[in-house]
Amino acid sequence: MPDTSRKSYADLFRTPEFSALFLSTSAGIAAQTVSGLALGTLVFRATNSPLLSAVSMFGPALAQVVGATLFLSGADRLAPRATLAGLSLAFAAATAALALPGLPLWAMFAIVLAEGLIASLGGGVRWGLLNEILAGDGRSEDGRNEDGKDREGRNGDGKGGYLAGRSLFNMMSGIMQITGYAAGGALLTLLAPRLCLLLAAGLYGTAACLALRLTRRPPRASGRPSVAATHRTNALLWRSAPRRHVYLALWLPNGLVVGCESLYVSYDPGAAGTLFACAALGMLAGDVAVGRLSPVRLRPRLGIPLLVLLAAPYLVLFLRPPLPLTAVLVALASVGFGASLVQQERLVALTPGELAGHALGLHSAGMLTTQGVAAALAGTVAQFSSPATAMTVMAAGSLVVTLTLTVASRRNAADGGLLPRRAARAAA
């Protein structure tokens, strides 16, 4: 039974501004899904290269590390509404540019990397705003709450609300990816990839309009965004060993599995949309199980088992099972993405409120960067072997990383680190 002490999904939509942020993000994810599949297909048809196809779809993530290093201090120092609307408009323009006829391959990849650079700020702004909205602090434009007291740096009861909200956002992401990949696959049988890119640009424009429905809010932290401020805060967040282990658990195991996903187009070009949709369906199931159905006392113990589930089904793909079985394995594995909810809850609990946007932005940027690197690595392995073999190699690497982080996080950790001690005793 769901834990009734937590906020329900209906409660979230009764929270002011939540719907506007939810709808804007939904449109952006739909655009990203359609454009990614269209661009990956366009590049694969032109080059017949698994590596270039994978990098074209996940390449924007490669630039995230640059943005996280230079610009992430803006996540708490810029006005959220204007920033989110501006980022969506920038993506609309970049996606429309990708649809230009005769655009050379190098120019496509330059635009893809530019998209990743401007997107590096989006995760911190979005998830920091979500945490702020669900904290229910009632801040006005001068940054004070209804009784006039400064609330900067306080999370209130927002941590529990954030988990429920992020769970719902993840579910929405899964649904939009299922819809987007299914619709994108159907559209690509009827339309040219460049026309699909133009449709995606229109969706990004819709996301910008929806973002303008948000209330004007002041930045969460004072001061101007700068490279120096970004470096200082990154160093502060990274200095804590428990936070460092959480970040690595958020980035590496699932990043390597996303490398598996980046090979769907080259693994089976005719069924790539089906495989992406099955993966999104599994992710949706995992988010529901962790976000709403798992008891609060049990949830911290689910992170590591879910990471194991995330990688294990891919170990058999080198045998090239039939498509229906492959689809089931992909969906089952993606349930393991629910581990990120467990780890994000721990990250929010370990982070001061005034740094929430930056901390969550660093998580988002690092995760996407790792996914981009893993996509390039998986494509390289596939280039010299086969996509099926590369998927198995990446999954094995994910399991090794999960085991290593579990052991490292338990050293001198009073709470047992990523795997609580009670869970370890029960497993023994």
Side-chain angles (χ1 to χ4, degrees):
M1 295 292 292
D3 185 351
T4 56
S5 66
R6 292 174 292 188
K7 287 188 177 182
S8 69
Y9 292 146
D11 291 334
L12 296 175
F13 283 106
R14 287 191 286 268
T15 304
E17 297 187 83
F18 181 86
S19 295
L21 182 61
F22 184 86
L23 292 173
S24 175
T25 305
S26 300
I29 291 175
Q32 182 182 15
T33 302
V34 173
S35 64
L37 185 57
L39 183 60
T41 302
L42 180 67
V43 171
F44 188 69
R45 288 178 182 176
T47 65
N48 201 37
S49 169
L51 172 60
L52 294 178
S53 175
V55 172
S56 69
M57 292 185 69
F58 294 89
L62 293 172
Q64 292 277 336
V65 67
V66 179
T69 302
L70 300 178
F71 310 128
L72 197 51
S73 61
D76 293 302
R77 291 175 170 85
L78 294 174
R81 188 180 82 151
T83 304
L84 291 176
L87 289 173
S88 294
L89 288 175
F91 266 100
T95 305
L98 287 171
L100 292 174
L103 188 70
L105 193 63
W106 67 265
M108 286 186 179
F109 280 101
I111 293 173
V112 163
L113 293 177
E115 285 181 329
L117 191 62
I118 62 176
S120 62
L121 192 58
V125 176
R126 180 175 297 107
W127 306 129
L129 177 59
L130 176 65
N131 189 52
E132 186 175 352
I133 288 172
L134 296 181
D137 62 8
R139 288 202 304 163
S140 61
E141 291 198 22
D142 66 356
R144 297 181 181 275
N145 64 8
E146 295 172 354
D147 62 5
K149 295 180 180 179
D150 187 26
R151 287 287 300 273
E152 185 176 359
R154 295 178 59 189
N155 277 335
D157 65 351
K159 292 178 182 178
Y162 176 81
L163 179 75
R166 190 60 192 267
S167 170
L168 186 57
F169 268 78
N170 286 358
M171 289 170 56
M172 171 271 292
S173 177
I175 292 172
M176 296 308 297
Q177 287 181 39
I178 292 169
T179 305
Y181 283 126
L187 286 172
L188 285 170
T189 65
L190 301 173
L191 304 174
R194 286 187 171 84
L195 288 177
C196 293
L197 287 170
L198 289 176
L199 290 174
L203 286 170
Y204 277 124
T206 302
C209 293
L210 290 168
L212 292 175
R213 295 174 56 187
L214 292 164
T215 302
R216 294 179 186 270
R217 284 175 173 259
R220 284 177 294 276
S222 60
R224 297 173 61 87
S226 67
V227 175
T230 300
H231 287 172
R232 284 195 303 270
T233 307
N234 284 345
L236 174 64
L237 292 170
W238 191 253
R239 192 177 303 141
S240 165
R243 273 199 300 263
R244 188 163 61 245
H245 292 141
V246 173
Y247 275 127
L248 292 174
L250 282 164
W251 296 343
L252 298 178
N254 71 5
L256 291 167
V257 171
V258 170
C260 299
E261 295 182 346
S262 72
L263 298 174
Y264 288 167
V265 172
S266 54
Y267 179 83
D268 192 337
T274 299
L275 294 178
F276 277 119
C278 288
L281 180 62
M283 183 174 69
L284 171 63
D287 287 328
V288 172
V290 174
R292 287 301 300 160
L293 302 180
S294 63
V296 173
R297 61 180 178 78
L298 177 62
R299 194 164 56 221
R301 308 176 201 173
L302 296 178
I304 296 304
L306 285 170
L307 287 180
V308 172
L309 176 63
L310 180 63
Y314 283 99
L315 295 177
V316 302
L317 291 192
F318 75 97
L319 297 173
R320 294 289 307 200
L323 178 60
L325 179 56
T326 301
V328 171
L329 290 171
V330 163
L332 180 62
S334 296
V335 172
F337 280 116
S340 67
L341 286 176
V342 179
Q343 294 150 357
Q344 286 177 63
E345 184 177 39
R346 181 172 172 82
L347 178 62
V348 170
L350 291 169
T351 303
E354 70 272 17
L355 300 180
H358 194 121
L360 294 167
L362 184 59
H363 146 55
S364 180
M367 177 185 67
L368 292 172
T369 299
T370 305
Q371 291 175 359
V373 172
L377 178 60
T380 301
V381 175
Q383 197 81 28
F384 291 98
S385 56
S386 70
T389 300
M391 287 181 180
T392 300
V393 170
M394 300 300 287
S398 179
L399 288 173
V400 170
V401 169
T402 296
L403 175 61
T404 303
L405 286 174
T406 302
V407 174
S409 70
R410 291 175 62 80
R411 294 172 182 165
N412 302 320
D415 62 354
L418 298 173
L419 181 64
R421 298 186 187 282
R422 285 185 60 188
R425 287 199 298 269

